[in-house]
Structure formats: structure tokens, C-alpha cells
Amino acid sequence: MPVVRLLVLGAVRQHGRAHGYQVRNDLEFWGAQQWSTAKPGSIYHALKQLAKEGLLVEHDTAPSTAGGPPRTEYELTAAGHQTYLDLLRAALRTYDQKIDVLTSGVGFIVDLRRDEAIALLNERIAALESWRDEVVKEWTPDPAPEEWTHIGEIMQLWIHNAESGIEWTRGLIRRLEDGRYVMAGEGVRSVEVLTEWVAEHSAVGTTEVRDAGMETGHGTIER
């Protein structure tokens, strides 16, 4: 599924190279199993499938000194990197995707340059406005709202969702235009995934991401 592919490719990319448990741990840490279809089984299946498609390359590692079994580490290929960016862009520009796809796109939005992210979000607004106008013109009943049957509530729901989506997207654009967040090509950024309260109750720290790529304890990946 697109959301699992986006999440898995994005998680591997952040490490440079990562084994399945690291990817699963990251996604569970982000709560992805609650708001998306990224369950443990689908994560491992996606890793194998993405490798089969040539979007990831597999690296066999030596057994651990503690006696653990060897692990297979994954790394994005050039095609995998392009697919990741294509999925990310689609998640931000498309108006009618499921909320988990948009959530994943927003989670990785800083991997894009600021001007591109804003342009994609403006595309999303244009699509939402077009859909809202179509509903009003083609689908909304002629009588006054108080004379509608309960089916009219469906049109009210669609219009409400479109307008709230437009409002939220415009707010994100304003924040990006005001310089919020460190986007691709803008230098070192400190990425704190969790709230302060959650961070205090977990072992996860802060990751530094540099202009040249993402640096973690597992290596660097070029943008």
C-alpha cells in the first residue's frame, strides 16, 4: 500500500542503512501502527517487496558479538530514492487520499525544499477548492438546507471537510513562508520527533540532519 511504502522508504532513508527491526521500531515509535496500516507484518513484507522491485538493496551483516543472528540491512537505491520523493510529493499535493497518507507526507515534509513544499500544498488547495465547488454546483440540492433529507448531510460533510482541509493547508503554508522548520538544503536541523513529555519517558533523543544528507548513528544519506 502507498502509505506503507512511503513510511518504510522514509524510515530507511533516515538511517542510511537499516534492518527490519529498526524500521519497525521507528514506525511504532511514531505511533504509525495506530494511525496507518503499517503493522509489523506489513513492514517486513514491504521491505522484501521493495528490495524485489529494486527500490532497496539488501546487505547481509555479520552475527553480533553477543551471539545474535545476522541481520539484513536495507538501503535505498537511486530508484528507491526517486520513488520515495514521488510518493512524498503525491501525499502532499493530492486532496482525496486517506488521512494516513497525508499524515505520512507531513511527517516527511522537511525532506523537500521549502519552495517545492509550498508549491505542492498550493496544488492541494486548488484541488480541494475545485472539489468543493463541484459539490456545491453539481451535487447540492436546490431547496433550502432545512428542506433537505438526511442525504443532504452528505454534501454538508463533503463541503465541511474540503473547507477545513483548505484552512489547515493555508495555515501550514503560512508557517513555511514564515520560516518555520529547517527544510532540505537549509543546513543543520534538530529533529525532535516527540513531545517533551514523551521524550522524558523514552530512550529516544534528538537527531541532527545536515544539508548534505541525514546523519544518524547508522550513516549518512545524500539528498
Side-chain angles (χ1 to χ4, degrees), residues 62-128:
S64 71
T65 56
R71 295 181 183 272
T72 299
E73 290 187 337
Y74 297 89
E75 181 179 9
L76 267 67
T77 62
H81 184 259
Q82 186 59 53
T83 297
Y84 166 70
L85 292 177
D86 290 344
L87 289 169
L88 175 55
R89 289 163 178 147
L92 293 173
R93 71 156 61 92
T94 308
Y95 81 93
D96 58 351
Q97 78 281 65
K98 293 183 178 180
I99 190 63
D100 58 352
V101 178
L102 178 60
T103 300
S104 302
V106 175
F108 290 121
I109 194 172
V110 292
D111 287 345
L112 298 173
R113 300 187 72 88
R114 188 175 301 274
D115 57 346
E116 181 181 16
I118 291 172
L120 291 167
L121 293 170
N122 275 316
E123 287 185 44
R124 182 172 189 270
I125 288 177
L128 281 167

Side-chain angles (χ1 to χ4, degrees), residues 128 165 170 197 212:
L128 281 167
R170 284 176 175 161
W197 183 91

Side-chain angles (χ1 to χ4, degrees), residues 198-209:
V198 177
E200 290 176 354
H201 292 77
S202 71
V204 177
T206 299
T207 302
E208 283 192 349
V209 182

